[in-house]
Amino acid sequence: MTAEAQLERGTADNDFRLGLLFAVSSALAFGSSGPFAKALMESGWSPTSAVIARLAGGALIMAAFASVVRPGWIREVAGHARTVVGYGLIPIAGAQLCYYNAVAHLSVGVALLLEYTAPILVVGWVWATTRHRPSAMTFGGVALAIAGIIMVLNVFSGAQINLVGVGWGLAAAVCAACYFMMSNRASTDGGGLSPISLATGGLIVGTTAVTLLGVTGIMPLAFTADPVTIAGRTTSWLVPVIALGLIPTALAYTLGIVGISRLKPRFASLVGLSEVLFAVLIAWIMLGEAMSTSQVIGGAVVLVGLAVARQGDRGEQAQPEAAELPTWPDMPMHEATERAND
């Protein structure tokens, strides 16, 4: 291996490690939403109201942050209006609304499992659009990760299923898959659209869309100013609202977009499965909901699946015939082939 190749390989490995750090941090932030949202809903808030509070809080925080660190974010958002609107409507507003409607008809475990079939959709989409078949190890990693999630969620313990709920759950999976694909496209082909601007604009669009659904009566709205209980302590309703806007929204989306741009959507979507592990762990710490033995084993299976999938990706990149071809949809396949033949 030449010095130039070694340097390129070292840069790629560094990007992967940094991307993994961002993606895992994003999953941790997303996983913290459960206890805060549950506290609001138990005090009388409707799911739609909790979503609005979360998105609105995140939008305000991100707008203030972007105005300081990226003063031109409004021009960026206006210049990429189609990307930002699509991102706000589908991965942000759509995913959350579909998931909450799935929960209204299904047990939480089954609803989460349906949403987290998103990695399968991402792998299938990448395969279809690039005509680059994933390796057997990648397929095996996906299967292991999904099996682990089944164990973590205990979906077969008193699960309730109906077709309406299944439809909402699958719609949430499509929105989640769009989150990975659209974040990657905006990061690699955004033409100057930064992750901060995308997250800020997307949250504003998502907040507007969900609010319109609520005020028009399409989705029920119910707010209260009653105290809430978190981790056994009574506090103001402002605490979970601020926490929801800051941690699992503003911070999570920004870290996620940056991480996806370095990992690419297929592996990033698998890393996203760790959100469920973090959600279970946080619920155990904050709410005293202890993990069962099967959940601990399931968590280990998920990690093994991620490792296998990553090894499959590295194996694909090492194939001589694909050495100069991207294994991710960073460019049209015909363009990649032309570059390889030059």
Side-chain angles (χ1 to χ4, degrees):
M1 181 180 293
T2 64
E4 182 179 351
Q6 289 178 338
L7 178 61
E8 183 177 349
R9 180 62 177 271
T11 301
D13 287 344
N14 289 334
D15 280 344
F16 169 76
R17 294 189 188 97
L18 186 59
L20 184 61
L21 175 62
F22 280 123
V24 171
S25 299
S26 174
L28 173 59
F30 274 125
S32 69
S33 67
F36 299 118
K38 185 175 181 179
L40 286 175
M41 287 186 279
E42 287 182 345
S43 70
W45 289 53
S46 68
T48 304
S49 301
V51 171
I52 291 175
R54 176 181 177 179
L55 295 184
L60 287 174
I61 294 171
M62 284 302 301
F65 177 70
S67 297
V68 174
V69 302
R70 199 159 183 96
W73 71 270
I74 295 179
R75 290 193 299 273
E76 285 185 40
V77 169
H80 300 83
R82 179 180 297 182
T83 298
V84 173
V85 170
Y87 192 82
L89 292 178
I90 302 175
I92 294 181
Q96 295 196 46
L97 284 176
C98 290
Y99 170 69
Y100 278 117
N101 277 281
V103 170
H105 297 87
L106 302 171
S107 64
V108 172
V110 172
L112 271 175
L113 174 62
L114 289 172
E115 182 178 10
Y116 278 94
T117 57
I120 298 176
L121 300 179
V122 172
V123 170
W125 178 259
V126 172
W127 185 3
T129 55
T130 65
R131 299 180 183 178
H132 186 85
R133 184 182 184 277
S135 69
M137 289 189 69
T138 299
F139 281 125
V142 170
L144 279 174
I146 295 298
I149 290 298
I150 293 175
M151 298 177 68
V152 169
L153 297 175
N154 287 326
V155 296
F156 298 115
S157 300
Q160 300 176 358
I161 299 178
N162 66 59
L163 293 180
V164 174
V166 170
W168 281 113
L170 292 177
V174 172
C175 292
C178 288
Y179 162 69
F180 293 106
M181 300 305 299
M182 294 176 71
S183 293
N184 175 70
R185 180 173 294 278
S187 298
T188 57
D189 302 320
L193 180 61
S194 73
I196 293 175
S197 300
L198 176 60
T200 304
L203 286 170
I204 292 173
V205 171
T207 302
T208 303
V210 178
T211 301
L212 288 175
L213 291 176
V215 298
T216 56
I218 297 176
M219 302 295 292
L221 282 178
F223 299 88
T224 72
D226 296 338
V228 300
T229 301
I230 302 176
R233 297 183 179 181
T234 301
T235 185
S236 169
W237 61 273
L238 288 172
V239 173
V241 168
I242 294 173
L244 280 172
L246 177 61
I247 303 173
T249 308
L251 185 62
Y253 278 110
T254 302
L255 291 175
I257 294 170
V258 175
I260 290 169
S261 68
R262 287 169 169 79
L263 293 179
K264 305 309 175 189
R266 190 168 65 196
F267 184 70
S269 66
L270 292 173
V271 175
L273 290 170
S274 62
E275 177 187 337
V276 181
L277 305 181
F278 290 127
V280 172
L281 180 61
I282 293 171
W284 173 45
I285 295 173
M286 295 186 63
L287 304 178
E289 297 177 354
M291 296 176 63
S292 66
T293 302
S294 64
Q295 287 178 309
V296 173
I297 296 174
V301 172
V302 171
L303 296 178
V304 171
L306 294 177
V308 171
R310 172 55 181 168
Q311 189 59 39
D313 282 337
R314 293 177 69 89
E316 291 176 42
Q317 295 172 11
Q319 292 177 3
E321 65 273 18
E324 299 298 328
L325 294 175
T327 57
W328 306 100
D330 295 333
M331 62 183 74
M333 181 56 65
H334 69 274
E335 181 181 341
T337 304
E338 290 174 359
R339 292 189 181 185
N341 291 334
D342 288 342

